């Protein structure tokens, strides 16, 4: 029988973290985005480090074969930042690629093989048209039984939303409240793809209409704007444009070291005290359509290893690729009961930046952007900065000794949950 | 029917014959749709093909205007969206399929619990390379 309790062979700490700007990035490739993240990470290692210290590289990348017609992304990233001949590898697990890369790097250190490892991810997604990008993303479904019968990614999460609405009475307004919250957070993140509140978006649209001499729309509030199909069209019913994360270019990376060497690099390392990963069935094969079983399994592993519970976590970055995904995530992680409470959390302000349980203070995938192979590592960059009090304008006021990230691969066929501690 | 392997190709061949087939575990009786070669319940691999009634119920759905390439090639777009969903067949298991015969212009009126029956549609194949994608195949669908 498999063991229930899992422990790392030795402790591992994050001593540096950085990311590229997220957005539509013209004239750069995946490896150059990764180099930008690496350059951003370097000054975050307070006491500095030598290139020679890095013993291996693990890079998450979901689809450069499709978007860039380029494989071997691990080696290309090693080459551009000057790590050759160190071993480098690319890890693909759809939208969880970089969390799995971080976890594999962590396991390599915990095994005793390496002391210092560079981990992260990169994704250049804006090279293809909307139609081909939809197709590329849908390759993360089971293309035999899901993609080929017509499911897209917005569509798979939309199906979960209809089941959630049917079972719990969740409304589209509940979902849109997640978008409003995450745009409020992301407006303070200079690296976000769309650093704007929904109100900012409304003002921009109004100004554009005036400029073009078109009838000036008059919305009384954010919800009225979001319910205006001329400005927020349906993508996959009930998912509208503002329920969906954008298609984003970006990269992120972290420097991981063995716990006993952490203080050589910084006085304030962030320790990874819990890690969990699980796989899951196709959507139609699951016992439930209103939660993600792999996320629950990964969370249980991470909480068990860390010896903490959901109530101990001060802030979390969760996988809000679609608004309904955040509603399911905060229940799967045990922060809220599944159903009404989780659906109402954003509207009630509990998950706001100044709420009792701040969720996605970076802006989340929704506003910061979702370069699929870089997303998990970028969640960790945010937590690293927040836990060290280095998040600038969007710094959460509470002292954050424990934080968590939740990263879903595809529609829940992979899930990674990790817990971080500042001592 | 044991001579027919429990593969995706066999399932597709049955669909081409307009037959809706599942695999049944001879050891524990569990029914698998889409068909599986290994039973997830008892991990046995002694399977038999069994034909389904084709009757089912809609349990989740969406209406899509921007589909993957085979749906675009089939003529679907923002002005001509399609419904896709998950159907629970009366024998128990669930499967994903296009849902025909519902009012895609008013998705708010499509309801979970709607009874549906198996149907079949022909489209191009799932592939990035055109010479592979142009091969026509029969796919499972359901009609309300």
């Amino acid at each position: 029988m498999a063991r229930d309790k899992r422990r790392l062979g030795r402790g591992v700490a994050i001593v540096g973290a950085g990311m590229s700007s997220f957005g539509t990035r013209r004239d750069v490739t995946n490896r150059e985005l990764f180099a930008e993240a690496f350059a951003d990470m370097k000054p975050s290692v307070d006491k500095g480090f030598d290139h020679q210290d890095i013993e291996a590289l693990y890079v998450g990348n979901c689809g450069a074969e499709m978007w860039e017609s380029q494989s071997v992304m691990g080696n290309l990233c090693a080459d551009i930042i000057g790590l050759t001949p160190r071993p480098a590898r690319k890890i693909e697990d759809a939208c969880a690629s970089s969390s799995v890369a971080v976890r594999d790097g962590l396991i390599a250190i915990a095994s005793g093989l390496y002391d210092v490892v560079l981990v992260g991810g990169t994704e250049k997604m804006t090279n293809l048209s909307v139609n081909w990008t939809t197709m590329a993303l849908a390759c993360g479904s089971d293309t035999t039984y899901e993609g080929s019968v017509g499911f897209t990614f917005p569509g798979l999460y939309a199906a979960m939303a209809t089941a959630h609405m049917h079972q719990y009475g969740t409304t589209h307004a509940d979902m849109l409240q997640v978008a409003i919250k995450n745009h409020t957070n992301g407006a303070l993140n200079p690296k976000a793809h769309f650093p704007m509140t929904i109100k900012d978006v409304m003002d921009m649209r109004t100004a554009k209409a005036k400029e073009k001499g078109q009838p000036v729309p008059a919305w009384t509030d954010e919800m009225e704007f979001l319910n205006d199909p001329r400005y927020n069209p349906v993508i996959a019913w009930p998912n509208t444009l503002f329920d969906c994360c954008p298609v984003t270019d970006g990269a992120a990376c972290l420097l991981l070291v063995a716990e006993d060497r952490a203080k050589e690099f910084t006085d304030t390392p962030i320790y990874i005290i819990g890690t969990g990963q699980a796989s899951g069935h196709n959507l139609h094969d699951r016992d439930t359509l209103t939660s993600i079983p792999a996320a629950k399994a990964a969370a249980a592993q991470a909480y068990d290893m860390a010896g903490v519970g959901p109530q101990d976590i001060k802030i979390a970055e969760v996988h809000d690729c679609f608004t309904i995904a955040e509603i399911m995530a905060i229940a799967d992680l045990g922060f809220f009961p599944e159903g009404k409470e989780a659906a109402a959390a954003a509207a009630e302000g509990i998950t706001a930046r100044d709420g009792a349980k701040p969720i996605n203070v970076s802006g989340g995938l929704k506003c910061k952007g979702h370069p699929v192979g870089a997303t998990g590592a970028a969640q960790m960059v945010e937590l690293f900065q927040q836990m060290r009090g280095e998040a600038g304008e969007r710094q959460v006021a509470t002292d954050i000794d424990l934080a968590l990230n939740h990263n879903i691969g595809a529609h829940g066929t992979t899930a990674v949950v990790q817990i971080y501690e500042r001592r | 029917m044991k001579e027919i392997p429990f593969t995706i190709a066999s399932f597709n061949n049955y669909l081409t014959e307009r037959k809706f087939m599942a695999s049944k575990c001879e050891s524990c009786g569990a029914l698998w749709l889409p068909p599986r070669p290994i039973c997830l319940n008892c991990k046995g691999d002694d399977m038999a093909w069994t034909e389904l009634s084709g009757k089912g119920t809609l349990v989740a759905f969406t209406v899509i205007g921007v589909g993957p390439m085979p749906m675009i090639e089939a003529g679907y777009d923002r002005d001509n969206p399609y419904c896709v969903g998950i159907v629970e067949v009366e024998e128990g298991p669930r499967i994903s399929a296009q849902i025909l015969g519902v009012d895609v212009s008013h998705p708010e009126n499509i309801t979970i619990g709607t009874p549906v029956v198996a149907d079949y549609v022909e489209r191009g194949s799932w592939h990035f390379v055109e010479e592979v994608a142009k091969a026509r195949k029969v796919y499972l669908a359901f009609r309300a």
Side-chain angles (χ1 to χ4, degrees), chain A residues 169-211:
Chain A
T170 305
T171 64
H172 188 224
D174 292 332
M175 291 160 60
L176 290 171
Q177 289 287 352
V178 174
I180 294 171
K181 169 184 71 77
N182 290 349
H183 272 275
T184 301
N185 290 343
L188 300 175
N189 186 346
K191 290 198 169 166
H193 191 162
F194 293 106
M196 309 170 86
T197 63
I198 297 295
K199 188 74 176 44
D200 293 337
V201 178
M202 291 160 66
D203 291 345
M204 192 179 74
R205 299 283 188 226
T206 306
K208 201 165 260 178
K210 276 183 190 159
E211 186 188 305

Side-chain angles (χ1 to χ4, degrees), chain B residues 1-129:
Chain B
M1 290 209 284
K2 288 215 172 174
E3 65 277 13
I4 296 170
F6 297 91
T7 58
I8 291 163
S10 300
F11 181 64
N12 287 340
N13 289 340
Y14 277 128
L15 291 179
T16 306
E17 297 167 17
R18 279 23 182 198
K19 277 188 176 165
F20 184 25
M21 304 293 284
S23 67
K24 187 170 187 174
C25 177
E26 297 269 76
S27 307
C28 75
L31 190 66
W32 297 106
L33 176 74
R36 291 177 177 275
I38 296 170
C39 177
L40 295 191
N41 185 41
C42 72
K43 317 298 177 190
D45 59 2
D46 188 14
M47 291 285 179
W49 286 104
T50 180
E51 188 164 3
L52 302 173
S53 72
K55 291 179 191 161
T57 307
L58 187 63
V59 295
F61 69 95
T62 181
V63 172
I64 295 178
V66 182
M69 279 305 179
M71 301 307 283
I72 293 169
E73 294 291 327
Y76 294 105
D77 58 25
R78 283 193 173 91
D79 298 323
N80 181 31
Y82 61 91
C83 180
V84 55
I86 295 176
V87 170
E88 185 169 308
V89 300
E90 68 173 359
E91 293 85 353
R94 293 173 172 184
I95 192 164
S96 301
Q98 188 178 351
I99 309 298
L100 306 167
V102 290
D103 182 5
V104 291
S105 59
H106 293 99
E108 66 278 10
N109 294 340
I110 302 172
T111 51
I112 286 172
T114 299
V116 292
V117 290
D119 202 339
Y120 304 89
V121 290
E122 202 181 302
R123 286 194 293 273
S125 301
W126 181 280
H127 212 280
F128 267 72
V129 177

Side-chain angles (χ1 to χ4, degrees), chain A residues 28 60 75 95 114 221 227 245 251 357:
Chain A
V28 289
N75 310 324
C95 316
Y114 306 126
D221 58 15
N227 283 320
C245 65
K357 200 70 143 186

Side-chain angles (χ1 to χ4, degrees), chain A residues 18-20 28-41 57-60 73-74 76-78 80-81 83 118-123 250-254 374 377:
Chain A
M19 61 186 274
S20 73
V28 289
T29 62
N30 267 300
R31 76 183 100 165
E32 292 164 305
L33 287 165
F34 191 78
E36 194 179 314
F38 182 69
D40 188 58
M41 183 276 287
L57 171 64
Y58 293 77
V59 178
M73 197 49 64
L76 288 173
C77 289
I80 196 169
I81 62 172
L83 283 191
L118 184 66
V119 294
T122 183
E123 207 76 56
C253 70
L254 306 125

